[in-house]
Amino acid sequence: MPRDNMASLIQRVARQARITFRSPAGPAFGENLHRLQQLLDEVRAEDLHLAPRGPSAAAAAGGGLPWSGVVPPVSYMHICETESFSMGVFLLRSGACIPLHDHPGMNGMLKVLYGTLRIACMDTLPPAATAAAPPPAAAGGPCHRALFRSRQHYTPASPPCLLSPHTDNLHQIDAVDGPAAFLDILAPPYDPQHGRDCHYYRLLEGPAAGAEPAGLPREVWLMETPQAADFWCGGEPYPGPRVCL
C-alpha cells in the first residue's frame, strides 16, 4: 500500500527542486542540492502509484510516426516543469538502452524506482594541442575528447545519480535483467532555442559504454551521431499524486 505521506513527498521534492535550481549560482546552492538529494532518496515506486513494468502499449501513441502502434523501448511520464527544472518518470523495457547523450549546461538527478540500471558517466574534455588524433572511425561526424569516469549499477536502494554541467554530464542508461523506471530531474529543462539540445554520441575506442570497461577513469574519443533508429521515447500519463507549483 502507498504510504500516507506519498502526496506530500513528491510535492516536497518538486518544491525543493524549485528552490534549489532557482539560484544555481547562489551561496546556498550546495545546501539546497543536498536537501533535494535527501528527499529524492526517499521516493519509492508506490509513492507515484507505479508497479514494476516496462512501457505500456498506450505509450506507442506518444511515440509518433513511424512507430505508432509499436510499444517503444522507453516511455516518459511528465510530472511538472518550470523555467528552472523539469521532473518526470522514465520507464524502460527489459534490455532497453537510453543511448549515450549529453545535458548541455544542465544539472540532473536520477533516482531508480524499480529494477536495475547500469549507468555509464562521462565528462567532455577541452581540446588539447598535444592530444592524439581521433581514431580512423571518426570520419562520420564531429569528435570530442572525453573522460570515461564510471560505470555502476543502481537500484531502488542506491542514492540518486547526480550530474552537473561539468561532471558526469554525458551518460548512457541500460535496463538490466528486467524492466526499470527512474524519477528524473533536469535543471534547467532541455530547450534547443537556448542552446540546450540533446546530442547523442558513440564511443570510438575500446568497449561500448554498456560493455565491461577497462580501467576507469580513462580518456576516450566520442563521435557525435544522430539519434539511433531503434531508440525513441513514447509518452504515457503520470498516475501519481498531483504536483502544484
Side-chain angles (χ1 to χ4, degrees):
M1 293 292 291
R3 291 176 291 183
D4 292 339
N5 68 340
M6 63 178 181
S8 61
L9 177 56
I10 193 62
Q11 178 71 57
R12 284 160 52 206
V13 169
R15 287 175 177 168
Q16 184 62 37
R18 182 177 60 181
I19 293 169
T20 301
F21 297 118
R22 187 166 48 198
S23 302
F29 177 70
E31 180 180 344
N32 286 329
L33 186 68
H34 180 65
R35 177 58 180 154
L36 177 58
Q37 183 177 356
Q38 289 180 314
L39 285 171
L40 194 62
D41 197 27
E42 297 178 21
V43 180
R44 299 292 182 265
E46 58 265 29
D47 296 325
L48 307 183
H49 301 179
L50 293 175
R53 64 170 180 82
S56 70
L65 295 174
W67 304 292
S68 293
V70 179
V71 177
V74 177
S75 65
Y76 182 71
M77 295 176 171
H78 174 77
I79 297 178
C80 64
E81 181 171 324
T82 70
E83 290 185 357
S84 60
F85 81 98
S86 62
M87 183 166 67
V89 175
F90 283 92
L91 287 76
L92 285 74
R93 291 165 55 184
S94 180
C97 170
I98 299 178
L100 185 63
H101 62 285
D102 62 3
H103 309 80
M106 300 156 69
N107 289 280
M109 309 182 80
L110 179 164
K111 172 60 181 175
V112 176
L113 299 172
Y114 60 75
T116 300
L117 295 178
R118 182 174 57 230
I119 304 178
C121 294
M122 305 184 192
D123 300 347
T124 55
L125 294 174
T130 58
C143 291
H144 308 270
R145 292 172 60 240
L147 183 66
F148 194 153
R149 287 172 51 89
S150 65
R151 178 177 174 272
Q152 301 180 45
H153 284 74
Y154 287 80
T155 71
S158 305
C161 177
L162 309 181
L163 65 89
S164 78
H166 305 292
T167 304
D168 295 338
N169 192 266
L170 289 81
H171 61 213
Q172 176 172 310
I173 303 171
D174 293 86
V176 180
D177 298 329
F182 63 91
L183 181 61
D184 185 69
I185 297 175
L186 288 177
Y190 281 115
D191 186 346
Q193 293 185 346
H194 289 85
R196 297 191 303 273
D197 201 0
C198 183
H199 307 90
Y200 293 92
Y201 301 89
R202 179 167 63 87
L203 194 63
L204 286 178
E205 56 185 78
E212 193 63 35
L216 299 178
R218 64 185 176 93
E219 289 193 20
V220 295
W221 280 99
L222 304 178
M223 182 174 70
E224 191 171 333
T225 65
Q227 180 174 321
D230 59 353
F231 170 73
W232 73 100
C233 187
E236 50 187 297
Y238 162 65
R242 183 181 178 187
V243 169
C244 299
L245 293 171

